[in-house]
Amino acid sequence: MLNKLSLADSIREDVPQPIKVAKPIGDIVKISGEGALLKNHYKAFDFDGNTYELGDTVLLAPESQGRMVKPYVAMIKDITEMENKGIMLNAQWFYRPEDATPIRSGKNMESIGARELYYSFHEDEVPAETIMHKCIVHFVTTQKHIPSRKEYPGFIVQKVYDPNTKRLLKLTNNGFLHDMEHEIDILVQKTMLHLSILPDTEKPVGKGKRLK
């Protein structure tokens, strides 16, 4: 015979749990597409009681759920809603070093430890409900010292990875298109404002590098 506790547990397991659904916040800022492909674009959305905005860096649930599988890391670049499809995100990916296969080695591959991520301009569309929570990503050039984890927790980006060409470039390289270079500069500047003043390293800036 079931005792009261186990009976309550069995009843609770049979009750369907409410499905958490992301909802847009604010006014529509843009409309794109036509007919069945029409999309409403927003600046923010709510999911599970938390607000997410364009430019936020987040952890996304991986496709496989093994204990050793690490979450994906992405930046929210667009927030859209389609009829009967819910909220979708354009996620711009960060790569963990172990998930990248760059063709270059040597000094460009020097690791800064478990906090390191590579930025990329690779984007995919993912459901908003795959978000786990926000995370912190610092964009720090190799001309600056890495901030301490204790004082400034979060991931560190010093390089950009192209999954198509397998190239790995430092943030200060000149090998980016103008729009990409401008985006990187803004992200570095935001980090510098947040971290205040980081001391310079003693490494000289090489040829083909942008000063930051």
Side-chain angles (χ1 to χ4, degrees):
M1 179 179 294
L2 291 172
N3 59 37
K4 290 183 180 180
L5 181 60
S6 59
L7 178 59
D9 288 341
S10 64
I11 293 174
R12 193 179 298 114
E13 290 175 357
D14 293 336
V15 176
Q17 299 298 311
I19 299 175
K20 298 174 183 177
V21 179
K23 298 291 185 182
I25 295 176
D27 297 328
I28 298 170
V29 295
K30 185 177 73 172
I31 297 175
S32 65
E34 296 180 353
L37 298 179
L38 187 142
K39 294 182 179 181
N40 296 326
H41 298 252
Y42 296 88
K43 290 184 177 181
F45 69 95
D46 174 273
F47 177 56
D48 197 21
N50 298 303
T51 298
Y52 298 91
E53 301 177 338
L54 295 175
D56 282 348
T57 47
V58 294
L59 295 183
L60 301 176
E63 295 171 356
S64 56
Q65 300 298 319
R67 290 177 57 188
M68 301 302 292
V69 179
K70 296 178 180 179
Y72 300 133
V73 187
M75 180 180 292
I76 300 173
K77 302 296 287 188
D78 199 7
I79 301 167
T80 62
E81 182 183 41
M82 293 179 65
E83 187 176 358
N84 300 324
K85 288 193 176 181
I87 299 294
M88 299 295 290
L89 311 176
N90 270 27
Q92 187 162 324
W93 300 112
F94 295 86
Y95 282 78
R96 298 180 190 274
E98 62 266 29
D99 297 326
T101 54
I103 57 175
R104 295 194 174 188
S105 58
K107 291 184 178 180
N108 217 32
M109 285 293 293
E110 291 177 356
S111 175
I112 57 175
R115 304 173 69 189
E116 183 169 30
L117 293 176
Y118 301 150
Y119 193 50
S120 84
F121 290 94
H122 171 206
E123 292 187 18
D124 283 315
E125 193 174 53
V126 300
E129 289 79 10
T130 58
I131 281 186
M132 299 171 67
H133 54 77
K134 294 181 185 180
C135 63
I136 299 172
V137 180
H138 305 296
F139 289 76
V140 182
T141 69
T142 53
Q143 282 77 54
K144 297 291 184 179
H145 280 286
I146 301 298
S148 71
R149 181 193 292 268
K150 183 177 180 180
E151 189 174 3
Y152 296 105
F155 295 106
I156 302 293
V157 168
Q158 289 192 313
K159 306 180 187 77
V160 180
Y161 176 64
D162 185 332
N164 295 315
T165 64
K166 310 299 182 185
R167 294 180 71 199
L168 185 64
L169 298 175
K170 294 180 180 180
L171 295 175
T172 50
N173 270 88
N174 285 325
F176 301 106
L177 297 176
H178 176 74
D179 289 348
M180 295 178 176
E181 184 177 300
H182 180 65
E183 181 175 325
I184 292 169
D185 289 348
I186 290 175
L187 292 169
V188 170
Q189 290 167 13
K190 285 182 177 179
T191 293
M192 292 301 104
L193 287 174
H194 174 66
L195 300 183
S196 187
I197 299 176
L198 288 177
D200 292 338
T201 64
E202 296 180 358
K203 296 179 180 179
V205 179
K207 293 182 179 179
K209 301 293 191 300
R210 307 193 314 280
L211 282 170
K212 288 290 175 290

